[in-house]
Amino acid sequence: MKNKIRQQAIDLGADDAAIIPTGMISVEDQIVEFCKAPLCESYGNCAHCPPHAISPARMRQKLASYRQGLVFKVHAPTAILQTEEQFPVFRKVFEITAALERYARSVGFERAVGLAAGSCKSVFCKKVSCLLLESGTDCRFPSLARPSMEATGIHVFKLIQDLGWEIHRINQATDPGQVHTGSIVALLILE
């Protein structure tokens, strides 16, 4: 069944996916600190971002009650990831994550939980306040919004390196001629 979920990730648009034991997922308190320095525009402004997202301590507890997960990645040209054009790519990752979570639950993994990449605020609510945080009312995108792995303290780069996948930190200084593509990575905790 897990191979069907992996194939579903590919069918939905992931460039690669792997079933992993949850013991492979490192959750570190200092990862959340990267949201503060330099200050991310979503820090404190989104219910799914620090300091409001599930804490690393709680994420470690949650992962301890699961055995396996599925990691998937979507590739995008570095030049796109350095501009506002990145947001449709991130949206695609959120959409795949939500669809995989629904699919996994429909085939018996009732506790499946998806974690996306980047801030849902940047992707869905960039120019408006987070309703969930601001007034406690429903999220504008409840079927899509998820915390990112980083927001919960998951060390994404370590996980990807341990899988043997190539990953690069993409920022404005990254030379697209040297680093042609970047990977956007998400996680589905299965059982």
Side-chain angles (χ1 to χ4, degrees), residues 55-71:
S55 70
R58 291 222 22 243
M59 179 51 75
R60 282 190 287 274
Q61 289 175 336
K62 185 173 196 68
L63 285 173
S65 72
Y66 286 80
R67 292 180 307 138
Q68 292 185 317
L70 174 123
V71 178

Side-chain angles (χ1 to χ4, degrees), residues 6-164:
R6 182 191 175 281
Q7 186 58 50
Q8 182 75 3
I10 302 299
D11 292 347
L12 289 166
D15 290 298
D16 203 352
I19 301 292
I20 60 163
T22 54
M24 195 174 180
I25 302 168
S26 176
V27 180
E28 302 173 17
D29 295 343
Q30 69 269 22
I31 296 297
V32 176
E33 296 299 313
F34 292 125
C35 300
K36 288 196 254 183
L39 187 64
C40 173
E41 65 184 25
S42 295
Y43 184 87
N45 295 315
C46 176
H48 292 300
C49 288
H52 309 292
I54 183 173
S55 70
R58 291 222 22 243
M59 179 51 75
R60 282 190 287 274
Q61 289 175 336
K62 185 173 196 68
L63 285 173
S65 72
Y66 286 80
R67 292 180 307 138
Q68 292 185 317
L70 174 123
V71 178
F72 73 89
K73 64 180 177 174
V74 172
H75 297 291
T78 298
I80 285 177
L81 294 175
Q82 293 173 316
T83 69
E84 293 290 313
E85 293 179 54
Q86 70 179 297
F87 296 113
V89 179
F90 278 88
R91 182 181 179 106
K92 175 181 178 179
V93 172
F94 276 92
E95 290 170 348
I96 294 170
T97 303
L100 282 174
E101 185 181 278
R102 284 190 304 274
Y103 177 75
R105 288 179 179 182
S106 77
V107 297
F109 296 96
E110 289 127 18
R111 297 187 319 134
V113 175
L115 299 168
S119 172
C120 59
K121 176 135 180 36
S122 301
V123 175
F124 301 111
C125 298
K126 189 167 184 71
K127 297 182 183 192
V128 295
S129 63
C130 173
L131 286 179
L132 189 59
L133 183 62
E134 183 180 89
S135 60
T137 60
D138 289 336
C139 172
R140 288 180 181 90
F141 297 90
S143 66
L144 295 174
R146 304 281 185 284
S148 69
M149 291 191 293
E150 300 87 351
T152 65
I154 294 175
H155 194 314
V156 176
F157 275 73
K158 181 180 183 328
L159 177 60
I160 298 311
Q161 289 167 341
D162 289 351
L163 276 167

